[in-house]
Coordinates of all heavy atoms in Angstrom, one line a residue:
M1 N 0.8 -1.2 0.0 CA 0.0 0.0 0.0 C 0.9 1.3 0.0 O 1.8 1.4 0.8 CB -0.9 0.0 1.2 CG -2.4 -0.2 0.8 SD -3.5 0.7 1.9 CE -3.2 0.2 3.5
T2 N 0.6 2.1 -0.9 CA 1.4 3.4 -0.9 C 0.6 4.4 -0.2 O -0.6 4.7 -0.5 CB 1.7 3.8 -2.4 OG1 0.5 3.7 -3.2 CG2 2.8 3.1 -3.0
E3 N 1.3 5.0 0.7 CA 0.7 6.1 1.5 C 0.9 7.5 0.8 O 2.1 7.9 0.7 CB 1.3 6.1 2.9 CG 0.9 7.2 3.8 CD -0.6 7.1 4.1 OE1 -1.0 6.2 4.8 OE2 -1.3 8.0 3.6
P4 N -0.1 8.1 0.3 CA 0.1 9.4 -0.4 C 0.8 10.4 0.4 O 1.5 11.3 -0.1 CB -1.4 9.8 -0.8 CG -2.3 9.0 0.1 CD -1.5 7.7 0.4
L5 N 0.6 10.4 1.7 CA 1.2 11.4 2.6 C 2.7 11.3 2.5 O 3.5 12.2 2.9 CB 0.7 11.2 4.0 CG -0.7 11.7 4.3 CD1 -1.0 11.6 5.8 CD2 -0.9 13.1 3.8
L6 N 3.2 10.1 2.2 CA 4.7 9.9 2.2 C 5.4 10.3 0.9 O 6.6 10.3 0.8 CB 5.0 8.4 2.5 CG 4.6 7.9 3.8 CD1 4.9 6.4 4.0 CD2 5.2 8.7 4.9
Q7 N 4.6 10.6 -0.1 CA 5.1 11.0 -1.4 C 5.6 12.4 -1.3 O 4.9 13.3 -0.9 CB 4.1 10.9 -2.5 CG 3.9 9.4 -2.9 CD 2.7 9.3 -3.9 OE1 2.2 10.3 -4.4 NE2 2.2 8.1 -4.1
H8 N 6.9 12.6 -1.7 CA 7.4 14.0 -1.7 C 6.7 14.8 -2.8 O 6.2 14.3 -3.8 CB 8.9 13.9 -2.0 CG 9.7 13.3 -0.9 ND1 9.6 13.8 0.4 CD2 10.6 12.3 -0.8 CE1 10.4 13.1 1.2 NE2 11.0 12.2 0.5
L9 N 6.7 16.1 -2.5 CA 6.1 17.0 -3.4 C 7.0 17.1 -4.7 O 8.2 17.1 -4.7 CB 6.0 18.4 -2.8 CG 5.2 18.6 -1.6 CD1 5.0 20.1 -1.3 CD2 3.9 17.9 -1.6
T10 N 6.3 17.3 -5.8 CA 7.0 17.5 -7.1 C 7.4 19.0 -7.2 O 6.9 19.8 -6.4 CB 6.1 17.2 -8.3 OG1 5.0 18.1 -8.3 CG2 5.5 15.8 -8.2
P11 N 8.4 19.3 -8.0 CA 8.8 20.7 -8.2 C 7.6 21.6 -8.5 O 7.5 22.7 -8.0 CB 9.8 20.6 -9.4 CG 10.3 19.2 -9.3 CD 9.2 18.4 -8.8
D12 N 6.6 21.1 -9.3 CA 5.4 21.8 -9.6 C 4.6 22.1 -8.3 O 4.1 23.2 -8.1 CB 4.5 21.0 -10.6 CG 5.0 21.2 -12.0 OD1 5.9 22.1 -12.2 OD2 4.5 20.6 -12.9
E13 N 4.5 21.1 -7.5 CA 3.8 21.3 -6.2 C 4.4 22.3 -5.3 O 3.8 23.0 -4.6 CB 3.5 19.9 -5.6 CG 2.5 19.1 -6.3 CD 2.3 17.7 -5.7 OE1 3.3 17.1 -5.3 OE2 1.2 17.3 -5.6
L14 N 5.8 22.2 -5.3 CA 6.5 23.1 -4.5 C 6.3 24.6 -4.9 O 6.2 25.5 -4.1 CB 8.0 22.8 -4.5 CG 8.5 21.5 -3.8 CD1 9.9 21.2 -4.1 CD2 8.2 21.7 -2.3
E15 N 6.2 24.7 -6.2 CA 6.0 26.0 -6.8 C 4.6 26.5 -6.4 O 4.4 27.7 -6.0 CB 6.1 26.0 -8.3 CG 6.6 27.3 -8.9 CD 6.7 27.2 -10.4 OE1 7.5 26.3 -10.9 OE2 6.0 27.9 -11.1
L16 N 3.6 25.6 -6.4 CA 2.3 26.0 -6.0 C 2.2 26.4 -4.6 O 1.6 27.4 -4.2 CB 1.3 24.7 -6.2 CG 0.9 24.5 -7.6 CD1 0.0 23.2 -7.7 CD2 0.1 25.6 -8.2
W17 N 3.0 25.6 -3.8 CA 3.0 25.9 -2.3 C 3.6 27.3 -2.1 O 3.1 28.1 -1.3 CB 3.8 24.9 -1.6 CG 3.9 25.2 -0.1 CD1 2.9 24.9 0.8 CD2 4.9 25.8 0.6 NE1 3.3 25.3 2.0 CE2 4.5 25.8 1.9 CE3 6.2 26.2 0.2 CZ2 5.3 26.4 2.9 CZ3 7.0 26.8 1.2 CH2 6.6 26.8 2.6
A18 N 4.7 27.6 -2.9 CA 5.3 28.9 -2.7 C 4.3 30.1 -3.0 O 4.5 31.2 -2.5 CB 6.5 29.0 -3.6
Q19 N 3.4 29.7 -3.9 CA 2.4 30.8 -4.2 C 1.1 30.7 -3.4 O 0.1 31.4 -3.6 CB 2.0 30.6 -5.7 CG 3.2 30.8 -6.6 CD 2.8 30.4 -8.1 OE1 1.8 30.9 -8.6 NE2 3.6 29.5 -8.6
G20 N 1.1 29.7 -2.4 CA 0.0 29.5 -1.6 C -1.2 28.8 -2.2 O -2.3 29.0 -1.8
L21 N -0.9 28.1 -3.3 CA -2.0 27.4 -4.1 C -2.0 25.9 -3.9 O -2.7 25.3 -4.6 CB -1.8 27.8 -5.5 CG -1.8 29.3 -5.9 CD1 -1.5 29.5 -7.4 CD2 -3.2 29.9 -5.6
L22 N -1.2 25.4 -3.0 CA -1.1 23.9 -2.9 C -2.4 23.4 -2.2 O -2.8 23.9 -1.2 CB 0.1 23.6 -2.1 CG 0.4 22.1 -2.1 CD1 0.9 21.6 -3.4 CD2 1.5 21.8 -1.0
P23 N -3.0 22.3 -2.8 CA -4.1 21.7 -2.1 C -3.8 21.3 -0.7 O -2.7 20.8 -0.5 CB -4.5 20.5 -3.0 CG -3.8 20.8 -4.4 CD -2.6 21.7 -4.1
A24 N -4.8 21.4 0.2 CA -4.6 21.1 1.6 C -4.1 19.6 1.8 O -3.3 19.4 2.7 CB -5.9 21.3 2.3
A25 N -4.5 18.7 0.9 CA -4.1 17.3 1.0 C -2.6 17.2 0.9 O -2.0 16.4 1.6 CB -4.8 16.5 -0.1
R26 N -2.0 18.0 0.1 CA -0.5 17.9 -0.1 C 0.2 18.7 1.0 O 1.3 18.5 1.3 CB -0.1 18.4 -1.5 CG -0.7 17.6 -2.6 CD -0.3 16.1 -2.4 NE 1.1 15.9 -2.9 CZ 1.9 15.0 -2.4 NH1 1.5 14.3 -1.3 NH2 3.1 14.8 -2.8
D27 N -0.5 19.7 1.5 CA 0.0 20.6 2.5 C 0.3 19.7 3.8 O 1.3 20.0 4.5 CB -1.0 21.6 2.9 CG -0.4 23.0 3.2 OD1 0.6 23.3 2.5 OD2 -0.8 23.6 4.2
I28 N -0.4 18.7 4.0 CA -0.2 17.8 5.1 C 1.1 17.2 5.1 O 1.8 17.1 6.1 CB -1.4 16.8 5.2 CG1 -2.7 17.4 5.5 CG2 -1.0 15.7 6.3 CD1 -3.9 16.5 5.3
H29 N 1.5 16.7 3.9 CA 2.8 16.1 3.7 C 3.9 17.1 4.1 O 4.9 16.8 4.8 CB 3.0 15.6 2.3 CG 4.4 15.2 2.0 ND1 4.9 14.0 2.4 CD2 5.5 15.9 1.5 CE1 6.2 13.9 2.1 NE2 6.6 15.0 1.5
L30 N 3.7 18.3 3.6 CA 4.7 19.4 3.9 C 4.9 19.6 5.4 O 6.0 19.9 5.9 CB 4.3 20.7 3.2 CG 5.4 21.5 2.7 CD1 5.9 20.9 1.4 CD2 5.0 22.9 2.5
A31 N 3.8 19.5 6.1 CA 3.8 19.7 7.5 C 4.7 18.6 8.2 O 5.2 18.9 9.3 CB 2.4 19.8 8.1
Q32 N 4.7 17.5 7.6 CA 5.4 16.3 8.2 C 6.8 16.1 7.7 O 7.5 15.3 8.2 CB 4.5 15.1 8.1 CG 3.2 15.2 8.7 CD 2.3 14.0 8.4 OE1 2.6 13.3 7.5 NE2 1.3 13.8 9.2
C33 N 7.1 16.6 6.5 CA 8.3 16.3 5.9 C 9.3 17.5 5.8 O 9.0 18.5 5.1 CB 8.0 15.9 4.4 SG 9.5 15.5 3.5
A34 N 10.3 17.5 6.6 CA 11.3 18.6 6.7 C 12.0 18.8 5.4 O 12.3 19.9 5.1 CB 12.3 18.3 7.8
E35 N 12.2 17.7 4.7 CA 12.9 17.8 3.4 C 12.1 18.7 2.4 O 12.6 19.6 1.8 CB 13.0 16.4 2.8 CG 14.2 16.2 1.9 CD 14.3 14.8 1.4 OE1 14.3 13.9 2.3 OE2 14.4 14.6 0.2
C36 N 10.8 18.4 2.3 CA 10.0 19.1 1.3 C 9.8 20.6 1.8 O 9.7 21.5 1.0 CB 8.6 18.5 1.2 SG 8.7 17.0 0.1
R37 N 9.7 20.7 3.1 CA 9.5 22.1 3.7 C 10.8 22.9 3.4 O 10.6 24.1 3.0 CB 9.4 22.0 5.2 CG 8.4 23.0 5.7 CD 7.8 22.7 7.0 NE 8.7 22.2 8.0 CZ 8.6 21.1 8.7 NH1 7.5 20.4 8.6 NH2 9.5 20.7 9.6
A38 N 11.9 22.3 3.5 CA 13.2 23.1 3.2 C 13.2 23.5 1.7 O 13.5 24.6 1.3 CB 14.4 22.2 3.5
L39 N 12.8 22.5 0.8 CA 12.8 22.8 -0.6 C 11.7 23.9 -0.9 O 11.9 24.8 -1.7 CB 12.4 21.5 -1.4 CG 13.5 20.5 -1.5 CD1 13.0 19.2 -2.1 CD2 14.7 21.1 -2.3
G40 N 10.6 23.8 -0.2 CA 9.5 24.7 -0.4 C 9.9 26.1 0.0 O 9.6 27.1 -0.7
E41 N 10.6 26.2 1.2 CA 11.0 27.5 1.7 C 12.0 28.2 0.6 O 11.9 29.4 0.4 CB 11.8 27.4 3.0 CG 10.9 26.9 4.1 CD 9.9 28.1 4.6 OE1 10.1 29.2 4.1 OE2 9.1 27.8 5.5
R42 N 12.8 27.3 0.1 CA 13.8 27.8 -0.9 C 13.1 28.4 -2.1 O 13.4 29.4 -2.7 CB 14.8 26.7 -1.3 CG 16.1 27.2 -1.7 CD 17.1 26.1 -1.8 NE 16.7 25.1 -2.8 CZ 17.3 24.1 -3.1 NH1 18.5 23.8 -2.5 NH2 16.9 23.2 -4.0
E43 N 12.1 27.6 -2.5 CA 11.2 28.0 -3.7 C 10.5 29.3 -3.4 O 10.5 30.2 -4.3 CB 10.2 26.9 -4.0 CG 9.4 27.1 -5.3 CD 10.2 26.7 -6.5 OE1 11.2 25.9 -6.3 OE2 9.9 27.0 -7.6
R44 N 10.0 29.5 -2.2 CA 9.2 30.6 -1.8 C 10.2 31.9 -1.8 O 9.8 33.0 -2.2 CB 8.6 30.4 -0.5 CG 7.5 31.5 -0.2 CD 6.5 31.1 0.8 NE 7.1 30.9 2.1 CZ 6.4 30.6 3.2 NH1 5.1 30.5 3.1 NH2 7.0 30.5 4.4
K45 N 11.4 31.6 -1.3 CA 12.3 32.7 -1.2 C 12.7 33.2 -2.6 O 12.7 34.4 -2.9 CB 13.6 32.2 -0.5 CG 14.3 33.3 0.3 CD 15.5 32.8 1.0 CE 16.7 33.7 0.9 NZ 18.0 33.0 1.1
L46 N 12.9 32.3 -3.5 CA 13.2 32.6 -4.9 C 12.1 33.4 -5.5 O 12.3 34.4 -6.2 CB 13.4 31.3 -5.6 CG 14.3 31.3 -6.8 CD1 15.7 31.1 -6.4 CD2 13.9 30.2 -7.8
F47 N 10.9 32.9 -5.2 CA 9.7 33.6 -5.7 C 9.6 35.0 -5.3 O 9.3 35.9 -6.1 CB 8.5 32.8 -5.2 CG 7.3 33.0 -6.1 CD1 7.2 32.4 -7.3 CD2 6.2 33.7 -5.6 CE1 6.1 32.6 -8.1 CE2 5.1 33.9 -6.4 CZ 5.0 33.3 -7.6
R48 N 9.9 35.3 -4.0 CA 9.9 36.6 -3.5 C 11.0 37.5 -4.1 O 10.7 38.6 -4.4 CB 10.1 36.6 -2.0 CG 8.8 36.2 -1.2 CD 8.9 36.7 0.2 NE 8.1 35.9 1.1 CZ 8.6 35.2 2.2 NH1 9.9 35.3 2.4 NH2 7.8 34.5 2.9
E49 N 12.1 36.9 -4.3 CA 13.2 37.6 -4.9 C 12.9 38.0 -6.3 O 13.2 39.1 -6.8 CB 14.5 36.8 -4.8 CG 15.2 37.1 -3.5 CD 16.3 36.0 -3.2 OE1 16.7 35.3 -4.2 OE2 16.6 35.8 -2.0
L50 N 12.3 37.1 -7.0 CA 11.9 37.4 -8.4 C 10.9 38.6 -8.4 O 11.0 39.5 -9.3 CB 11.2 36.2 -9.0 CG 12.2 35.1 -9.6 CD1 11.4 33.9 -10.1 CD2 13.1 35.7 -10.7
A51 N 10.0 38.5 -7.5 CA 8.9 39.6 -7.5 C 9.5 40.9 -7.2 O 9.0 42.0 -7.5 CB 7.9 39.2 -6.4
R52 N 10.7 40.9 -6.5 CA 11.3 42.2 -6.1 C 12.2 42.8 -7.2 O 12.6 43.9 -7.2 CB 12.2 41.9 -4.9 CG 11.8 42.9 -3.7 CD 12.7 42.7 -2.6 NE 12.6 41.4 -1.9 CZ 13.6 40.8 -1.4 NH1 14.8 41.2 -1.5 NH2 13.4 39.6 -0.8
L53 N 12.5 41.9 -8.2 CA 13.4 42.4 -9.3 C 12.7 43.5 -10.1 O 11.6 43.5 -10.3 CB 13.7 41.3 -10.3 CG 14.7 40.2 -9.8 CD1 14.9 39.2 -10.9 CD2 16.0 40.8 -9.4
P54 N 13.5 44.5 -10.4 CA 13.0 45.7 -11.1 C 12.3 45.4 -12.4 O 11.3 46.0 -12.8 CB 14.2 46.6 -11.4 CG 15.4 45.9 -10.8 CD 15.0 44.6 -10.2
R55 N 12.7 44.3 -13.1 CA 12.1 44.1 -14.4 C 10.7 43.5 -14.3 O 10.1 43.3 -15.3 CB 13.0 43.2 -15.2 CG 13.1 41.7 -14.8 CD 14.2 41.0 -15.5 NE 14.6 39.8 -14.8 CZ 14.2 38.6 -15.1 NH1 13.3 38.5 -16.1 NH2 14.6 37.5 -14.5
F56 N 10.3 43.2 -13.1 CA 8.9 42.8 -12.9 C 8.0 43.9 -12.7 O 6.8 43.8 -12.8 CB 8.8 41.8 -11.7 CG 9.0 40.4 -12.1 CD1 10.3 39.9 -12.4 CD2 7.9 39.5 -12.2 CE1 10.5 38.6 -12.8 CE2 8.1 38.2 -12.6 CZ 9.4 37.8 -12.9
A57 N 8.5 45.1 -12.5 CA 7.7 46.3 -12.2 C 7.7 47.4 -13.2 O 6.9 48.3 -13.1 CB 8.1 46.9 -10.8
P58 N 8.4 47.3 -14.3 CA 8.6 48.4 -15.2 C 7.3 48.8 -15.9 O 7.2 49.9 -16.4 CB 9.6 48.0 -16.2 CG 9.4 46.5 -16.3 CD 9.0 46.1 -14.9
E59 N 6.3 48.0 -15.9 CA 5.0 48.3 -16.6 C 4.4 49.5 -16.1 O 3.8 50.3 -16.9 CB 4.1 47.1 -16.5 CG 4.5 46.0 -17.5 CD 3.5 45.0 -17.7 OE1 2.3 45.3 -17.7 OE2 3.9 43.8 -17.7
F60 N 4.5 49.8 -14.8 CA 3.9 51.0 -14.3 C 4.4 52.3 -15.0 O 3.7 53.0 -15.6 CB 4.1 51.1 -12.8 CG 3.2 50.2 -12.0 CD1 3.7 49.1 -11.4 CD2 1.9 50.5 -11.8 CE1 2.9 48.2 -10.7 CE2 1.1 49.6 -11.1 CZ 1.6 48.5 -10.6
G61 N 5.8 52.4 -14.9 CA 6.4 53.5 -15.5 C 6.2 53.6 -17.0 O 5.9 54.6 -17.6
F62 N 6.2 52.4 -17.6 CA 6.1 52.3 -19.0 C 4.7 52.8 -19.5 O 4.6 53.6 -20.4 CB 6.3 50.9 -19.5 CG 6.0 50.6 -20.9 CD1 7.0 51.1 -21.9 CD2 4.9 50.0 -21.4 CE1 6.8 50.9 -23.2 CE2 4.7 49.8 -22.8 CZ 5.7 50.3 -23.7
V63 N 3.7 52.4 -18.8 CA 2.3 52.8 -19.1 C 2.1 54.3 -19.0 O 1.6 54.9 -19.8 CB 1.3 52.0 -18.3 CG1 -0.1 52.7 -18.4 CG2 1.2 50.6 -18.6
E64 N 2.7 54.8 -17.9 CA 2.6 56.2 -17.7 C 3.3 57.0 -18.8 O 2.8 58.1 -19.2 CB 3.2 56.6 -16.3 CG 2.1 56.6 -15.2 CD 2.7 56.8 -13.9 OE1 4.0 56.9 -13.8 OE2 2.0 56.7 -12.9
R65 N 4.4 56.5 -19.2 CA 5.1 57.2 -20.2 C 4.3 57.2 -21.6 O 4.2 58.2 -22.3 CB 6.5 56.6 -20.5 CG 7.6 57.5 -20.1 CD 9.0 56.8 -20.2 NE 9.0 55.7 -19.3 CZ 9.7 54.6 -19.5 NH1 10.4 54.4 -20.6 NH2 9.7 53.6 -18.7
V66 N 3.8 56.1 -21.8 CA 3.0 55.9 -23.1 C 1.7 56.9 -23.0 O 1.4 57.6 -23.9 CB 2.5 54.5 -23.3 CG1 1.5 54.4 -24.4 CG2 3.7 53.6 -23.6
M67 N 1.1 56.8 -21.9 CA -0.1 57.7 -21.7 C 0.3 59.2 -21.8 O -0.4 60.0 -22.4 CB -0.7 57.4 -20.3 CG -1.3 56.1 -20.2 SD -2.6 55.7 -21.4 CE -4.0 56.4 -20.5
G68 N 1.4 59.5 -21.3 CA 1.9 60.9 -21.4 C 2.1 61.3 -22.8 O 1.8 62.4 -23.2
R69 N 2.6 60.4 -23.6 CA 2.9 60.7 -25.0 C 1.6 60.8 -25.8 O 1.5 61.6 -26.7 CB 3.8 59.6 -25.6 CG 5.2 59.8 -25.4 CD 6.0 58.7 -26.0 NE 6.1 58.8 -27.5 CZ 6.9 57.9 -28.2 NH1 7.6 57.1 -27.6 NH2 6.9 58.0 -29.5
V70 N 0.7 60.0 -25.4 CA -0.6 60.0 -26.1 C -1.3 61.3 -25.9 O -1.9 61.9 -26.8 CB -1.6 58.9 -25.6 CG1 -3.0 59.1 -26.1 CG2 -1.0 57.5 -26.0
R71 N -1.1 61.9 -24.7 CA -1.8 63.2 -24.4 C -1.2 64.4 -25.1 O -1.8 65.4 -25.4 CB -1.8 63.4 -22.9 CG -3.2 63.1 -22.3 CD -3.2 63.4 -20.8 NE -2.9 62.3 -20.0 CZ -2.0 62.2 -19.0 NH1 -1.4 63.3 -18.6 NH2 -1.8 61.1 -18.3
I72 N 0.1 64.2 -25.5 CA 0.8 65.4 -26.1 C 0.2 65.5 -27.5 O 0.2 64.6 -28.3 CB 2.3 65.1 -26.2 CG1 2.9 65.1 -24.8 CG2 3.0 66.2 -27.1 CD1 4.3 64.6 -24.8
P73 N -0.3 66.7 -27.9 CA -0.8 66.9 -29.2 C 0.3 66.9 -30.2 O 1.2 67.8 -30.2 CB -1.5 68.3 -29.1 CG -1.2 68.9 -27.8 CD -0.3 67.9 -27.0
S74 N 0.3 66.0 -31.1 CA 1.4 65.9 -32.1 C 0.8 65.5 -33.4 O -0.3 64.8 -33.4 CB 2.5 65.0 -31.7 OG 2.0 63.7 -31.5
P75 N 1.4 65.9 -34.6 CA 0.8 65.5 -35.9 C 0.8 63.9 -36.0 O 1.8 63.3 -35.8 CB 1.7 66.1 -36.9 CG 2.9 66.6 -36.1 CD 2.5 66.7 -34.7
S76 N -0.4 63.4 -36.2 CA -0.5 61.9 -36.3 C 0.2 61.3 -37.5 O 0.5 60.2 -37.5 CB -1.9 61.5 -36.2 OG -2.6 62.2 -37.3
N77 N 0.5 62.2 -38.5 CA 1.2 61.7 -39.7 C 2.5 61.1 -39.4 O 3.0 60.2 -40.1 CB 1.3 62.9 -40.7 CG 0.0 63.2 -41.4 OD1 -0.9 62.4 -41.3 ND2 -0.1 64.4 -42.0
E78 N 3.2 61.7 -38.4 CA 4.5 61.2 -38.1 C 4.5 59.7 -37.8 O 5.5 59.1 -38.1 CB 5.0 62.0 -36.8 CG 6.0 63.1 -37.1 CD 6.5 63.8 -35.9 OE1 6.8 63.1 -34.9 OE2 6.5 65.0 -35.9
F79 N 3.5 59.2 -37.2 CA 3.5 57.8 -36.9 C 3.3 57.0 -38.1 O 3.8 55.9 -38.2 CB 2.4 57.5 -35.9 CG 2.7 58.1 -34.5 CD1 2.0 59.3 -34.1 CD2 3.6 57.5 -33.7 CE1 2.3 59.8 -32.9 CE2 3.8 58.1 -32.4 CZ 3.2 59.3 -32.0
E80 N 2.5 57.5 -39.0 CA 2.1 56.7 -40.2 C 3.2 56.7 -41.3 O 3.3 55.8 -42.1 CB 0.8 57.2 -40.8 CG -0.4 56.7 -40.0 CD -1.6 57.5 -40.3 OE1 -1.6 58.3 -41.3 OE2 -2.6 57.4 -39.5
N81 N 4.1 57.7 -41.3 CA 5.1 57.9 -42.3 C 6.4 57.1 -42.1 O 7.2 57.1 -42.9 CB 5.4 59.3 -42.5 CG 4.3 60.1 -43.3 OD1 3.5 59.4 -43.9 ND2 4.3 61.4 -43.2
R82 N 6.5 56.4 -41.0 CA 7.7 55.8 -40.7 C 8.0 54.4 -41.3 O 7.5 54.1 -42.3 CB 7.9 55.5 -39.2 CG 6.9 54.6 -38.6 CD 7.1 54.5 -37.1 NE 6.8 53.0 -36.8 CZ 7.7 52.3 -36.2 NH1 8.8 52.7 -35.8 NH2 7.4 51.0 -35.9
Ligands
ZN101 ZN1 8.6 15.2 1.4

């Protein structure tokens, strides 16, 4: 008999856990398995670091710049002639 609680989490499941999306059934394994918890913590840390990278946030500034340009009255021909 295979006990599902004893199966280690897959990398996909660890990623889900890092995002707080892991099903509760698998969460139980994590609570009991230090190995998976360590891997999960590492995944979560990586996830947070990625979220903090500047290249994940540039869309705010980018959108504002584009909107700023749209508002400036300029001959629309310039865009079509290029
Ligand atoms: Zn495990």
Side-chain angles (χ1 to χ4, degrees):
M1 247 214 306
T2 43
E3 177 61 68
L5 287 184
L6 295 178
Q7 285 173 11
H8 289 308
L9 300 192
T10 66
D12 277 353
E13 284 176 321
L14 286 172
E15 209 179 300
L16 283 178
W17 181 78
Q19 298 169 55
L21 299 172
L22 189 70
R26 298 303 281 145
D27 216 42
I28 295 167
H29 171 83
L30 213 80
Q32 297 173 344
C33 179
E35 206 178 309
C36 283
R37 215 158 45 226
L39 287 172
E41 292 287 355
R42 211 170 55 180
E43 188 82 16
R44 192 158 67 174
K45 209 176 140 202
L46 206 85
F47 202 71
R48 280 203 207 119
E49 273 163 19
L50 279 178
R52 236 187 291 145
L53 286 181
R55 70 191 163 98
F56 268 75
E59 280 189 45
F60 284 105
F62 178 74
V63 169
E64 268 173 1
R65 246 175 298 150
V66 170
M67 293 300 275
R69 272 178 76 172
V70 168
R71 254 184 267 135
I72 295 168
S74 59
S76 53
N77 285 344
E78 257 183 44
F79 292 103
E80 281 162 14
N81 284 343
R82 61 183 221 123

